Amino acid sequence: MDELERQTTIFNSSCAQCQIFKACGGSNISAPCGCFQKGNRRYDCVNCEYICRERHVEYRGEVVNSFSHHHVTGRDIEHIQLNQLGSIPSFPLLIPTKTHNLRVDHSLEIDWVGIEIDRILSLFNKLPRMPQKSSLTPKAFRELAQVGERTKVIVVLNGVDSKLEKFWGMDRLQLYEMMEKSSVNAVTGPTFSIYDQTTGGYPMAESHRVTMMRRHFRVIQELSDNEFFTIPNVYFRNQYDIDRWINWLKGNKSIKVLSRDLTCTRSGKEFESYLQQLIELIKGTHRSFHVLFQGISASKADYVIRKMSEINCTCSLITSDPIIKGSNGYEFVFRGKERPITKKQPNHHWSQIATQNIKVLNDYLKALVSEMPIYSSGQQMNRLDVK
């Protein structure tokens, strides 16, 4: 540990000899990625959520370094064998999430819906340990999601860190079995957090961020191996990661659909910066993609769709915005190609408002792309009926 503590920067550390150097590229900020906690919290790994190179556990009375275990359970992007061969799902412009919150007597008949990891875990926990086929029909699964039997489902593996840690630590093969029996139509890669700072304001150890990225790659390989239509979530720490994504996509021509979660990057300049980084990444591949965006509200839909069309890419918005606004009593007011405005609606149940919000946002997106050449072939719109 003393040797690690003396290594303060990439210029006098042994980054190049570190076991994660290929996945990391080195760091002049967090190297040597040792414990940064102070006082009684230093080396208190049991109560620390960060994965540094000094992370350890006690095993049979001995202190054992556990960082290597965390490292080997993941994968590097270069080792991922993923393909999207065959029929590509026809994703609509709008894919709403959190529809399970709608009133029980509202049966939402819609073409596509997104189900997030917290809902997936809650459904999984309600099932017997080894769910029987008869207990998990596609119809039953969709009823729990508050949608009709004909609705296609995309599982969106994003969420708060506690849910993602639970997902990582569980028997994922049983979860995949549940999803397969439920006729899940597509799955996005998980968004394990790669924040650049800890909650205490310290620079995040690159060993932790790299470990989270490797978890993502491990999971999308598992999903692909289980024959789901798997959509990689394109996120990155820095230019080093962006270059690796570009090289991987250049070598994997079958990949036509990508995902990008911007839930935690909603503020103006940060949001635009992250979107521009994605645009530059895609431009570097010299290809076009369909991109599923998560965390985009109605207020940013126009900007995102237009920016993506400039690089010959179409997109879908996976969002809970209509439901969240409706739950707070706000309804969208349709204004054609102009962004919908919201107004307080005290005279209707929030579930009715939310359902109407889905329709208004869908109609707005349809109007928005009506004169964009890239959408001239007629991208599928989400048909919506309420019974």
Side-chain angles (χ1 to χ4, degrees), residues 80-99:
I80 299 303
Q81 298 178 348
L82 185 69
N83 68 68
Q84 295 177 346
L85 297 173
S87 178
I88 304 296
S90 182
F91 295 108
L93 277 165
L94 174 64
I95 302 177
T97 61
K98 301 193 185 302
T99 56

Side-chain angles (χ1 to χ4, degrees), residues 228-283:
F228 291 105
F229 186 87
T230 304
I231 305 165
N233 198 331
V234 183
Y235 68 134
F236 34 78
R237 300 169 301 132
N238 48 33
Q239 189 61 45
Y240 183 79
D241 283 354
I242 291 174
D243 291 340
R244 295 172 75 207
W245 271 109
I246 291 173
N247 290 333
W248 184 77
L249 288 168
K250 282 182 175 180
N252 289 267
K253 302 295 186 182
S254 76
I255 306 299
K256 298 178 176 64
V257 184
L258 305 175
S259 174
R260 183 67 171 108
D261 182 9
L262 294 173
T263 304
C264 296
T265 53
R266 293 178 179 174
S267 59
K269 289 185 177 180
E270 183 185 32
F271 170 82
E272 293 178 9
S273 173
Y274 274 84
L275 181 61
Q276 189 59 40
Q277 285 179 308
L278 175 65
I279 289 171
E280 294 303 319
L281 187 157
I282 291 175
K283 287 167 67 175

Side-chain angles (χ1 to χ4, degrees), residues 4 20 40-41 74 89 93-95 99-100 112 122 150 152 157 206 208 225 264 280 282 310 339 359 361 363 377 383:
L4 274 176
I20 67 168
N40 293 334
R41 295 202 63 189
L93 277 165
L94 174 64
I95 302 177
T99 56
H100 62 274
W112 279 88
S122 70
R150 70 177 178 84
K152 295 182 176 66
L157 294 180
E206 290 303 318
H208 178 88
D225 291 345
C264 296
E280 294 303 319
I282 291 175
E310 290 173 3
R339 186 179 71 198
K359 182 179 185 306
L361 182 54
D363 289 344
S377 59
R383 293 185 295 274

Side-chain angles (χ1 to χ4, degrees), residues 56-100:
H56 63 273
V57 295
E58 290 189 14
Y59 180 70
R60 295 182 177 178
E62 303 233 350
V63 176
V64 179
N65 183 287
S66 60
F67 171 69
S68 293
H69 169 74
H70 287 284
H71 174 69
V72 299
T73 55
R75 286 203 181 187
D76 286 336
I77 187 172
E78 291 83 3
H79 299 150
I80 299 303
Q81 298 178 348
L82 185 69
N83 68 68
Q84 295 177 346
L85 297 173
S87 178
I88 304 296
S90 182
F91 295 108
L93 277 165
L94 174 64
I95 302 177
T97 61
K98 301 193 185 302
T99 56
H100 62 274

